Amino acid sequence: MTTQQLTQQIQTKKTFLCIGLDVDLSKIPQHLLQTEDPIFEFNKAIIDATHDLCVSYKPNTAFYEAYGLKGWQSLAKTINYINEKYPEIFTIADAKRGDIGNTSSMYAKAFFEDLNFDSVTVAPYMGKDSVEPFLAFENKHTIMLALTSNEGAFDFQTKNVEGKELYKTVLETSKTWKNSENLMYVVGATKAEYFTEIRKIVPESFLLVPGVGAQGGSLSEVCKYGMGENVGLLINSSRGIIYASTGVDFAEKAREEALKLQQEMAEILK
């Protein structure tokens, strides 16, 4: 999927919502545990109930890897279902890979070719040879960690190095890498005051923004400082939507929570 196609979906659906599919078997409705593949059945119901209210789904791969082979099969079934039934949806493998050379190439093949995700999250700590192998794939996107919403982000990301905060150096350096036009960036919603500075460096790039909802980030603040001319934002919400109910009405309640965000986004897009 191209960024132009993603932007068109945002304008058509009047939303820039990304829903995180982080499935924990201890939190999903108990009646699903009787099915052959509880993870997939949960995801399928959430997707069917919310696909018109969002432009992206983001499974965090750890929640699938934790269940071994069965979990990985559930992930494959989930992404195949989205690609086949709702091909307009932008898919994100939240894997945060960060190795180098051939290893990065193999990670990229796993997510882009085998699973056919549109994008994957990566960690840039090892530099360009950990990221460029992902960028080599046409019409695929690499979403690089830039400024995250966790407490430990202050350990390194905002440190002053030679007169400049490290996250700014990371952003600026990434723009020099081969196929950098395929880059997007992760910026946490709880760091809303940093968006103005980030937009000075990457004015047109898409930003994946976790932290709205359960983590306390403000949608209006993020949009005030972070929205670009072509929107350029994917606002992620996971727990606040998918775990809105643990009853048989879980998909219906998930839709209600997604609709609240979609309606707020539609007003902002006006």
Side-chain angles (χ1 to χ4, degrees):
M1 181 180 292
T2 66
T3 52
Q4 290 81 5
Q5 289 171 321
L6 176 56
T7 300
Q8 183 59 52
Q9 283 299 310
I10 290 172
Q11 299 298 343
T12 300
K13 290 184 170 181
K14 296 180 172 55
T15 179
F16 41 99
L17 176 62
C18 171
I19 297 178
L21 300 174
D22 304 346
V23 186
D24 183 340
L25 289 179
S26 69
K27 294 181 180 178
I28 71 173
Q30 291 298 296
H31 72 276
L32 291 178
L33 298 180
Q34 310 306 315
T35 64
E36 182 180 348
D37 190 341
I39 294 174
F40 175 69
E41 293 301 329
F42 178 79
N43 282 343
K44 180 178 179 293
I46 295 290
I47 292 162
D48 286 340
T50 62
H51 66 92
D52 59 319
L53 304 175
C54 67
V55 293
S56 179
Y57 288 109
K58 181 179 72 65
N60 185 315
T61 60
F63 287 83
Y64 301 84
E65 294 172 73
Y67 299 109
L69 180 58
K70 285 187 176 180
W72 200 256
Q73 290 171 336
S74 299
L75 176 62
K77 287 169 67 175
T78 297
I79 188 64
N80 287 339
Y81 185 74
I82 296 169
N83 286 338
E84 290 172 8
K85 192 161 185 183
Y86 308 110
E88 76 282 1
I89 293 284
F90 184 75
T91 55
I92 302 170
D94 191 2
K96 300 182 180 70
R97 297 303 195 247
D99 215 311
I100 58 172
N102 287 337
T103 309
S104 274
S105 294
M106 291 301 174
Y107 278 138
K109 284 173 66 68
F111 291 109
F112 291 152
E113 292 185 352
D114 181 48
L115 291 171
N116 199 21
F117 275 93
D118 292 309
S119 63
V120 62
T121 58
V122 303
Y125 192 76
M126 294 177 75
K128 73 175 183 179
D129 45 345
S130 68
V131 179
E132 283 187 339
F134 292 92
L135 296 174
F137 286 76
E138 188 176 1
N139 291 333
K140 300 291 186 178
H141 302 276
T142 303
I143 309 179
M144 199 176 82
L145 299 176
L147 187 62
T148 56
S149 55
N150 60 302
E151 182 181 346
F154 295 104
D155 289 347
F156 301 117
Q157 296 169 27
T158 58
K159 291 295 184 185
N160 192 297
V161 180
E162 298 181 349
K164 186 183 298 181
E165 289 158 298
L166 182 59
Y167 78 89
K168 291 181 180 179
T169 299
V170 171
L171 287 168
E172 290 170 355
T173 302
S174 72
K175 293 172 65 178
T176 69
W177 295 341
K178 188 175 181 180
N179 300 318
S180 61
E181 66 274 9
N182 294 334
L183 276 172
M184 299 179 177
Y185 301 92
V186 177
V187 181
T190 56
K191 303 285 194 299
E193 66 274 19
Y194 291 89
F195 276 85
T196 300
E197 293 299 307
I198 289 170
R199 278 303 187 201
K200 290 178 183 177
I201 303 170
V202 286
E204 302 300 329
S205 300
F206 263 88
L207 307 179
L208 172 63
V209 185
V212 168
Q215 295 181 47
S218 165
L219 175 60
S220 61
E221 286 291 294
V222 169
C223 292
K224 179 180 178 181
Y225 298 110
M227 185 172 283
E229 284 188 18
N230 294 317
V231 183
L233 294 173
L234 292 172
I235 304 293
N236 181 78
S237 179
S238 302
R239 289 170 287 173
I241 293 175
I242 67 173
Y243 296 131
S245 170
T246 56
V248 294
D249 63 345
F250 72 98
E252 178 184 334
K253 294 299 183 183
R255 179 176 177 81
E256 290 177 8
E257 293 304 314
L259 182 61
K260 291 176 186 176
L261 281 170
Q262 184 274 326
Q263 290 177 333
E264 192 174 348
M265 290 175 179
E267 285 298 312
I268 291 169
L269 288 172
K270 287 182 179 178

